[in-house]
Amino acid sequence: MKKRSVVVIALGGNALIMEGQRGTIAEQFENTRKSLDGIVYCLKQGYGVVITHGNGPQVGNLLLMVEASRNQVPELSLGVCVADTEGAIGYMIQQSLTNRLRKEGLDRCVVTVLTQVIVDKHDTAFSNPTKPIGPFFTREDAERFRKEKGWHIVEDSHRGYRRVVASPDPLKVVEDRAVRGLLEAGDIVIAVGGGGIPVIMKEDGDLEGVDVVVDKDLASSVLARDIKAG
Amino acid sequence: MLWSIKTLLPVSLQGILKQGDIVIAAGGGGIPVIMKEDGDLEGVDVVVDKDLASSVLARDIKADCLMMITGVEYVFLNFKQPNERALKALTVKEAERYLKEGHFPPGSMGPKIQAAINFLNWGGEVAIIAAIDKVKEALEGITGTKITKD
């Protein structure tokens, strides 16, 4: 059988929460449904499809929740926040696309793969964190988090203080074989949401989460390479 | 009690299992959805028991064994009573009787026993309930509660 061509489609995080919207779940579902035409077109052309997506607004909201509940529930690490949003956004795409495929007469499964992305712990980005994440802090809180957590916090153009994290280059997607296997079985795969969950490989080969973010388009390119899309 | 009717991805899971991958699925009982008149799926604000969801998934991927890992080494009759008794083996009939007699509280051992009964009635070979640190021993038959059709 001739190998099917595969297309990796990257949806922007802002495709699911539009400019000016509050980002309610109903809005996100509605926006997700609207983003499916291109995907359905590719499927009808016979392509295998991998969907990747951003998570900027979603992870931003989640970090606000983490901050608001600081004294009530244990804090979530950035990696866990990315994992949570990969799951939640994956669910919205899975359900919306499943419903749409049925109407189009396409009998296909849509699967989300929680994806870890390996970054180089020696990447120079680590020494120069630039990506602002989460809520704005007062000067006092900023000082406290710098001391207690070792966060990098910068003043953000008079709006307050904000945490910045590194954005190193993705090297490899840990679960690429699962993505390939699902594609070969004819499934539609959602992967590297939010750029994937960043991990480093330690000396002994173990993976460990790091508090950085990976650009979703760069992660998508690495995944596309490793599943030999195109 | 809410029953999960089916899982949506058994074929996908079977595919990646076949290539040797380890799959994590039906977490938290899975995301509950209803099927509307027109066939569309829609989320509902309910929760599905994870053991019952696991039994449905095990059925749909044609698993041989459903293993439920928990905090105790065995299923007990009269749990935490002076006449407490560990059960090393159970048949579906016995499990159904004990469940009816109220030995297994809802929300803890109850759903596990029900999940085992379902899985075996649907054609599964064996269900095992065992402690988190005794999985190996349970698979070797040294500890844990083994539930079979008869």
Side-chain angles (χ1 to χ4, degrees):
Chain A
M1 196 177 82
K2 187 180 164 294
K3 194 175 157 291
R4 277 182 316 139
S5 289
V6 174
V7 182
V8 175
I9 301 176
L11 298 175
N14 292 313
L16 303 184
I17 299 181
M18 307 265 183
E19 193 73 36
Q21 288 187 331
R22 287 180 57 229
T24 66
I25 296 300
E27 284 170 348
Q28 293 193 57
F29 262 110
E30 185 59 34
N31 295 334
T32 305
R33 283 192 284 270
K34 286 181 188 157
S35 70
L36 299 177
D37 287 350
I39 294 163
V40 171
Y41 174 80
C42 289
L43 290 168
K44 289 198 160 170
Q45 295 294 309
Y47 291 105
V49 172
V50 176
I51 302 165
T52 69
H53 60 84
N55 69 343
Q58 292 83 0
V59 85
N61 286 348
L62 184 52
L63 288 165
L64 281 174
M65 286 185 224
V66 169
E67 218 40 63
S69 61
R70 179 163 289 284
N71 300 316
Q72 286 155 335
V73 288
E75 183 176 339
L76 304 178
S77 68
L78 188 51
V80 169
C81 287
V82 174
D84 279 359
T85 57
E86 276 194 355
I89 297 170
Y91 160 54
M92 290 191 272
I93 300 172
Q94 269 182 230
Q95 186 183 91
S96 304
L97 188 54
T98 301
N99 286 341
R100 176 71 182 271
L101 292 179
R102 200 195 72 258
K103 293 189 184 82
E104 301 284 346
L106 293 166
D107 180 22
R108 309 279 284 275
C109 272
V110 189
V111 189
T112 301
V113 178
L114 285 191
T115 5
Q116 305 174 85
V117 172
I118 300 177
V119 299
D120 181 357
K121 62 182 170 183
H122 302 299
D123 193 309
T124 52
F126 277 95
S127 52
N128 182 31
T130 52
K131 184 100 181 149
I133 54 154
F136 289 95
F137 298 118
T138 62
R139 191 178 174 156
E140 294 72 47
D141 279 344
E143 270 311 313
R144 187 159 62 87
F145 291 141
R146 269 188 196 127
K147 263 194 216 123
E148 283 177 10
K149 300 175 182 297
W151 287 358
H152 291 268
I153 298 183
V154 296
E155 193 173 359
D156 188 310
S157 52
H158 308 297
R159 286 188 295 176
Y161 292 79
R162 221 170 163 204
R163 184 179 177 198
V164 286
V165 295
S167 187
D169 284 338
L171 301 178
K172 187 190 182 311
V173 174
V174 177
E175 293 80 7
D176 55 5
R177 194 182 72 175
V179 173
R180 223 164 29 228
L182 288 163
L183 273 175
E184 272 161 25
D187 295 337
I188 296 135
V189 185
I190 303 161
V192 296
I197 306 159
V199 295
I200 53 164
M201 190 175 280
K202 298 196 294 180
E203 305 279 298
D204 65 359
D206 266 8
L207 301 177
E208 187 175 76
V210 273
D211 277 357
V212 299
V213 290
V214 172
D215 180 85
K216 72 147 203 319
D217 295 316
L218 296 180
S220 302
S221 72
V222 169
L223 180 65
R225 174 196 70 194
D226 293 346
I227 60 172
K228 299 190 173 51
Chain B
M1 191 184 300
L2 192 75
W3 294 83
S4 26
I5 299 169
K6 79 189 276 285
T7 48
L8 285 169
L9 303 166
V11 180
S12 306
L13 297 191
Q14 268 172 323
I16 40 179
L17 277 174
K18 263 183 217 144
Q19 68 173 28
D21 293 338
I22 296 133
V23 183
I24 304 166
I31 307 162
V33 294
I34 52 162
M35 192 174 277
K36 299 196 294 182
E37 303 278 294
D38 65 359
D40 265 7
L41 302 175
E42 188 173 76
V44 274
D45 279 356
V46 299
V47 288
V48 174
D49 180 86
K50 75 153 194 322
D51 295 311
L52 295 178
S54 301
S55 71
V56 171
L57 180 64
R59 174 196 68 193
D60 293 348
I61 63 168
K62 299 184 173 57
D64 304 292
C65 173
L66 171 62
M67 185 154 201
M68 287 171 277
I69 308 299
T70 183
V72 290
E73 216 177 319
Y74 296 99
V75 175
F76 289 93
L77 291 183
N78 306 309
F79 187 48
K80 286 187 175 164
Q81 310 289 318
N83 59 343
E84 168 183 282
R85 182 156 72 87
L87 298 169
K88 301 198 169 167
L90 263 177
T91 65
V92 166
K93 255 203 185 100
E94 289 166 338
E96 278 171 340
R97 194 177 79 233
Y98 294 140
L99 186 64
K100 222 173 172 180
E101 288 170 5
H103 281 282
F104 314 124
S108 66
M109 198 51 84
K112 286 184 178 51
I113 297 291
Q114 187 63 60
I117 294 169
N118 293 352
F119 176 64
L120 296 166
N121 282 338
W122 288 327
E125 217 169 280
V126 58
I128 297 171
I129 298 173
I132 180 88
D133 55 344
K134 295 271 164 59
V135 171
K136 176 174 163 276
E137 290 84 348
L139 283 168
E140 288 167 347
I142 299 167
T143 174
T145 301
K146 190 173 165 184
I147 306 154
T148 48
K149 187 93 188 154
D150 30 47

